[in-house]
Amino acid sequence: MHGFDNNYLLLTPGPLSTTQSVRAAMMYDVPTRDKEYFAMIQDIRRELVQLAAGGDEKYTAVLVQGSGTYAVESMLCSAVSVNDRLLIAVNGAYGQRMAEIAKKAGLTFETVTFEEDEPVDVKAVSDMLWKGDFTHLAVIHLETTTGILNPVKELGRICAESGTVFMADCMSSFGSVEFDMRECGMSFMAASSNKCLQGVPGIGLVVCRRDAVEKCRGNSRSVSLDLYDQYAFMESSKGGFRFTSPTHVILGLKQALAELSEEGGIAARSARYRENQRILSEGVKELGFKLFLLEEVQSPVITTIEYPSGGFDFERMYGYLKDNGFYIYPGKLTKKETFRIGTIGNVFPDDIRRLLGLIEHWLEA
């Protein structure tokens, strides 16, 4: 027997707490070559395009077996050919991960780096694009290292002006922040079945312009992560995967998307997350903690909190909160000691208030 149960609330950047109904939806074995199953996958693809680009038929969704990072790697290594030059904007660990992917794959690329508490600077990126003859730009929309939001709409505008293909890792923003790929000028957007769609881990997804993915043919350095081949097979088979399909995750994702619609779509979910984050940030400040980010660049997904002075013991507080049903996360910064608390998933304002009460009790003890 394991030491976990379904009563824990995961106040983390993902995986996150799901509903009982999402978990229940996965309790079936289904055949992977069944027409009904294929139709379900096609429905999911259409729903993802509806959420990301208003259902525009110029866009499509490609599902990739694996975590969100698999989708990011598939996107980068399929979109950027041997004749292309990629610029990666970095202001956290996940931007650095994109650079690691590009290096391992042998892509021609450069990085432009910013501080972890500062959003990507549009002018600095624009200067690089105009001077460096880059064909592609990649950025993290919501950098989960800190919870900072980057200005994708403005970056998309300068990409359009310079003729640059714009790609974004929207792992934590898709489902938590309202945006439209068309307005942001994104040709490719990578996300995941978990995070703010509130499914479970196991499917990476790339929503992309059809004309952009069709130009990816022959570019991939990988067989399993070849975005064009996956797209072409899903189109020709009307919903099939080239290799073993993650059937139970698909069932969970279908239910999660239905629940997103029932909640009122991304606007309603974003409002709930924002309220969670507001209560959390105000509460921890009242308890004497300092927030790492300024309010104007803070996302509703995860909040980075600095260690207070005077012998603060994060591991002891972590253990106390775990014993009382909550999981939080350690920090991921390079320059400051911090911890992080997520406000996404099947989590509501009263849950955050209970957490704050526990932290207050632990501090007093």
Side-chain angles (χ1 to χ4, degrees), residues 77-198:
C77 299
S78 299
V80 181
S81 76
V82 293
N83 299 315
D84 292 328
R85 297 187 71 232
L86 169 66
L87 178 64
I88 302 173
V90 178
N91 63 336
Y94 295 94
Q96 293 168 3
R97 183 178 293 176
M98 286 204 295
E100 182 182 0
I101 289 169
K103 183 177 180 180
K104 285 279 182 74
L107 306 185
T108 301
F109 78 101
E110 292 183 30
T111 60
V112 54
T113 304
F114 306 93
E115 294 297 325
E116 293 169 319
D117 61 345
E118 296 177 359
V120 168
D121 183 87
V122 176
K123 184 179 184 307
V125 172
S126 180
D127 290 345
M128 289 281 288
L129 290 178
W130 285 106
K131 293 175 184 176
D133 194 28
F134 292 99
T135 57
H136 294 68
L137 171 68
V139 69
I140 309 293
H141 184 190
L142 197 166
E143 178 51 87
T144 323
T145 304
T146 58
I148 197 167
L149 274 166
N150 285 318
V152 288
K153 188 177 291 188
E154 292 82 357
L155 291 169
R157 176 179 50 78
I158 63 170
C159 284
E161 292 170 355
S162 60
T164 308
V165 176
F166 185 31
M167 302 183 288
D169 172 340
C170 297
M171 213 60 57
S172 293
S173 60
F174 189 42
S176 71
V177 177
E178 290 185 273
F179 69 93
D180 189 313
M181 289 181 66
R182 298 167 298 179
E183 295 177 0
C184 297
M186 291 179 192
S187 293
F188 297 88
M189 183 277 288
S192 173
S193 54
N194 65 308
K195 298 280 189 176
C196 302
L197 296 182
Q198 294 188 187

Side-chain angles (χ1 to χ4, degrees), residues 58 94 98 132 207 228 240:
K58 294 185 178 72
Y94 295 94
M98 286 204 295
V207 181
Y228 173 81

Side-chain angles (χ1 to χ4, degrees), residues 257-290:
L257 289 171
E259 292 178 9
L260 173 59
S261 178
E262 289 167 7
E263 187 171 354
I266 292 175
R269 181 158 293 177
S270 179
R272 171 165 62 87
Y273 289 169
R274 287 198 307 271
E275 179 66 3
N276 287 346
Q277 199 281 328
R278 182 193 66 79
I279 293 168
L280 174 70
S281 60
E282 291 179 359
V284 293
K285 284 190 289 186
E286 288 177 5
L287 293 174
F289 291 96
K290 181 181 178 183

Side-chain angles (χ1 to χ4, degrees), residues 38-103:
F38 277 21
M40 182 185 297
I41 293 170
Q42 293 292 77
D43 286 344
I44 287 172
R45 294 177 68 201
R46 283 189 289 269
E47 289 177 62
L48 294 172
V49 173
Q50 181 64 42
L51 292 170
D56 193 324
E57 292 184 357
K58 294 185 178 72
Y59 291 78
T60 186
V62 186
L63 307 183
V64 179
Q65 301 96 314
S67 72
T69 300
Y70 285 52
V72 173
E73 186 159 349
S74 178
M75 174 181 74
L76 292 176
C77 299
S78 299
V80 181
S81 76
V82 293
N83 299 315
D84 292 328
R85 297 187 71 232
L86 169 66
L87 178 64
I88 302 173
V90 178
N91 63 336
Y94 295 94
Q96 293 168 3
R97 183 178 293 176
M98 286 204 295
E100 182 182 0
I101 289 169
K103 183 177 180 180

